[in-house]
Amino acid sequence: MAALVYELSFLFLAGMLALITVLVVRRWQDEKNRGARERMRHRAARAYLARIEGGGESAAPADLPPAAKLEAVSHLLRLMRGTERDRLLALADEDRLFDPAIAASNSSRPARRSEAILTLEQFGSPRCVQTLQVLLANDASMTIKLEAAAALARLGGLPPLRDTISLLALEANRPTRLHVALFASLAATHPEQIRQLLSEEITPPLRAMLIDALSSSGDLADLGDFERAAADEEPEVRSAALRAARRVGDPRCEAWVLPMLTDPVDFVRVQAAQTVAKLGFTRARPKLKQLTTDESVWVRIRAGEALSLLPGGAS
Amino acid sequence: MNGEDAFYFAAEAVFWLSLACFVIVVIRNLVSVIQLAVASWAFWNRPRPTARLIDLWSKGVDLAPPISVIAPAYNEELSITQSVKALLALEYPEHEVIVVNDGSKDATIDVLKRDFELVPIDRPQVAALQVTRILAIYRSRTHRNLIVVDKENGRKADAVNAGIGFAQTPLVCVIDADSIIESDGLLRAVEPYMLDDGSLVAVGGAIRVVNGCEVRGGSLRKIAIPREWLARFQVVEYLRAFLTARVANAELDSLLLISGAFGLFRRSMLVEIGGYRHDTVGEDLELVVRIHRHCRENNIPYKIEFVPEIVCWTEAPISLAGLRNQRARWQQGALETLGTHRKMLFNPRYGRIGMLMMPLLVIEDVIGPPAELIGYLIIPAAWALGILSPELALAFLALTFVFGTALSIGTLALEETQLRRTPTAADLASIAVAAIVENFGYRQVNLVFRLAGIKRYLRRETGWSAVPRVGFN
Amino acid sequence: MAVILLADDDDILAELVRHHLERNGHQMLLAGDGEAALQLAQEHLPDLVILDAMMPIQGGIETLRLLREGDRTAQIPVMMLTSRKSEDDVVGALKLGANEYVTKPFRPQELAARVEALLRFRRSDNASS
């Protein structure tokens, strides 16, 4: 019995020591090669920068490992914009630098797929977009789908809005901040799709999110949509309308913003107070003064702040 | 009772006691193995930390919810300016710093007034959670996002409560006076809130030992490992606690502790439950347990998450007296929390918190230390009585040591493959050595300190028994 | 030819900027953090400093403030090259005395042209005074 226990302990000990040795040696080698790896990355960066200007007559440096090239180019792509970036992208496409990422998009590990999405988004060539669309449509993980959608939104490759919403199961689930970001970036490029959707039958959280998204582009053409949202029966949507008015900053919305200071729901009154302050609606003063004795502490705070922000000072 | 009977009785007692201790040891080790496995699984599935949020921020997407950082300060006149500057300089799109001067006896408030040009303001308190008196509220003229609350002295819990009351942002970040926050710590910790559907109420993050690192101007300049062995053992402990236990517990939706050194909470939840309790020394554990209890009793859907990235660095005690104080306090705090919330124990109403996590807390903090002590005493006794062969006794001892070390090494492997925040290969080797040496002396010393904590708890309990304690409802 | 100090912890960005500025015949000094940048600036008194806002040890804004406080470095033109683009960030940096604010991602040719413009302005300024 004692012998067996000793043997077990010894096995554990041996395994542990082996593990420590592997870790330390790996790290030590890594440290030794760090300088070389860095030089390689720099060389790759310089090679591609030279090729951007060379008009493509020089080929990719063959002796550099693909990982170094990918790392250098994707980093450069993050830093640059304009025609030089386009040229660099074309070179990356030519060298098929993103092939490993396309392969990783089929990995069984969500972590690997998520990393692949970042690379694919950065390159954004037609093959990358196609791979992202497959992920959005078929991936098992909702987080991965959302990441793919966000990438596609920035690349302008998102399927029609209706489809995107059902692929992300947004009819059933509450939108998160990442959804709001996704639709905000979409609103910048395809506001008409969002306007179309607003005129249809959709859930209140979705409607509120779309109003938020639409106003982030700051387009004055949407004032009518916001005014309609301000009369919505869901307080969440009314709040979104007030936020939108604040963002767009058009004085014409005074007519429908002022009455909302007496909205029955406290968080709508909070938004209304902040909006009149931001837009400088001095005619709101009397109502704001009443709100400083509101039953909700948040309404009192925001009304007080609004009074001190409005021209004329706190009085 | 003749001599033979007495011998048999003693032998029988020793046998059963040692068996009981053995079972406790096996359960505790099994729990650790499961935690290591779950944590490995969580790391395996988790994308490598990317700069996603920073990326979005740079694209001008206004996504990150505003945060108020609540920093309690007591007698910090020498370091307060640097600490506050470091907090103001944290990378975050929109954050406010609320410094609460907890009735310092030194010139903390004057230093703040001078260095940040404070002017008194009239800021309404959204919720009065503190029990002491607020003296004044100031805003800085040099930094619009700095608020200073001057109040009478209370405990840390009371100071933080006062600060929470003045916060107007959806999220509050509660820290210790001596916490050194990573420059992107807020961005890291807020990431779970990006994917939140409204149910996320608290996020904890990994904390490391700052001893040995180079710190200037209230922020971290260079990571290194401490020279003192006592601090190195604590480095190993922190790795185990944050990379396996908390990651695993969070993965199983049953995180019980968000350290007082750094926690990111939904403000409304803290206000709803009345903030921290100021009559316990384990207010950080008690708070999270109370969040679980509150949400489950009121059927509020909620989530508590944990980010394994380092968000904060904290000073570990390097004297035995300091360590004793800290460990005894943690032990006492755990017992107080268990006492307050004993109703949750084995109560199916509290789900896996009541059925699994609270019982584990009992094994770890109530039964564990005495069992360990009895174990150390009983093996020689069993040996002397001849019911345990010396070889077998030694063999079991060896197995427990090796096993405990294996868990630390496994954690170190997780850190090395996933986070890689150990500076050099040599440092990695020294931490591994510390993980082995830890078994010979440090663990036993720790046990003594924890027993001291149990003693403190029992004494305070009797001292208070005359005063009816206000039950939690 | 001018001496230009670039402070950024991003080595690939340094390669990118260096590629475009050295081509125009300038000499580059590189610093990986704000503290090193400040020291190099005091030692070499470069003709232009390019600062990243988010750097380890000492951020770009703090470095800018310290440059403006130093007697000999107060007049050196400073270009902020950063990914922070909110109105507060830009206005804050310009108020502290930054002469140019370029946000990442940027057009490398345009950056090079702005650098030339800043240097030209400084030369004519020096000549007239």
Side-chain angles (χ1 to χ4, degrees), chain A residues 27 31 109 147 177 298, chain B residues 44 52 63 267 416 422 425:
Chain A
R27 173 58 90 87
E31 269 166 33
R109 278 178 69 185
E147 282 175 21
R177 282 177 172 264
W298 287 107
Chain B
W44 175 259
R52 181 166 54 174
L63 255 189
R267 194 194 51 80
E416 177 63 10
T422 319

Side-chain angles (χ1 to χ4, degrees), chain A residues 7-185:
Chain A
E7 220 159 87
L8 255 174
S9 317
F10 182 75
L11 270 178
F12 259 124
L13 195 68
M16 244 159 49
L17 289 179
L19 184 57
I20 296 175
T21 317
V22 168
L23 290 180
V24 172
V25 168
R26 218 180 61 150
R27 173 58 90 87
W28 178 68
Q29 271 180 341
D30 199 68
E31 269 166 33
K32 233 178 44 183
N33 298 336
R34 187 179 297 154
R37 262 204 330 271
E38 213 159 87
R39 277 193 298 281
M40 219 126 62
R41 247 156 45 94
H42 292 180
R43 252 184 62 211
R46 278 197 297 271
Y48 275 96
L49 284 171
R51 277 174 74 197
I52 290 176
E53 273 137 48
E57 81 264 13
S58 53
D63 61 321
L64 287 168
K69 286 192 273 190
L70 177 69
E71 210 182 320
V73 170
S74 73
H75 199 136
L76 281 173
L77 285 173
R78 262 204 306 276
L79 294 170
M80 296 161 68
R81 58 194 174 105
T83 49
E84 281 147 304
R85 186 181 192 279
D86 298 340
R87 252 180 268 158
L88 183 57
L89 208 50
L91 288 175
D93 215 352
E94 203 176 287
D95 297 354
R96 307 192 76 87
L97 284 182
F98 48 81
D99 277 3
I102 291 183
S105 76
N106 285 320
S107 164
S108 60
R109 278 178 69 185
R112 301 268 297 133
R113 302 204 294 278
S114 167
E115 283 161 30
I117 289 175
L118 282 181
T119 312
L120 293 172
E121 183 197 337
Q122 235 165 29
F123 288 96
S125 79
R127 276 180 63 221
C128 297
V129 170
Q130 207 185 341
T131 312
L132 287 168
Q133 281 167 341
V134 172
L135 281 173
L136 170 61
N138 301 332
D139 203 279
S141 150
M142 198 40 90
T143 319
I144 297 286
K145 280 187 170 194
L146 179 56
E147 282 175 21
L152 283 168
R154 282 191 280 271
L155 295 171
L158 216 51
L161 201 51
R162 264 277 172 210
D163 299 345
T164 303
I165 285 173
S166 73
L167 283 173
L168 294 175
L170 271 178
E171 286 109 344
N173 298 314
R174 278 195 75 84
T176 69
R177 282 177 172 264
L178 281 182
H179 290 108
V180 177
L182 164 65
F183 285 91
S185 68

Side-chain angles (χ1 to χ4, degrees), chain C residues 60-76:
Chain C
I61 293 295
E62 184 65 11
T63 310
L64 170 63
R65 209 175 52 76
L66 292 171
L67 280 173
R68 287 298 176 244
E69 276 175 9
D71 283 340
R72 299 189 305 158
T73 53
Q75 296 304 318
I76 303 176

Side-chain angles (χ1 to χ4, degrees), chain A residues 46 49-50 53, chain C residues 14-23:
Chain A
R46 278 197 297 271
L49 284 171
E53 273 137 48
Chain C
E15 285 295 334
L16 174 60
V17 173
R18 187 154 82 169
H19 180 85
H20 282 88
L21 296 187
E22 280 186 343
R23 203 172 39 182

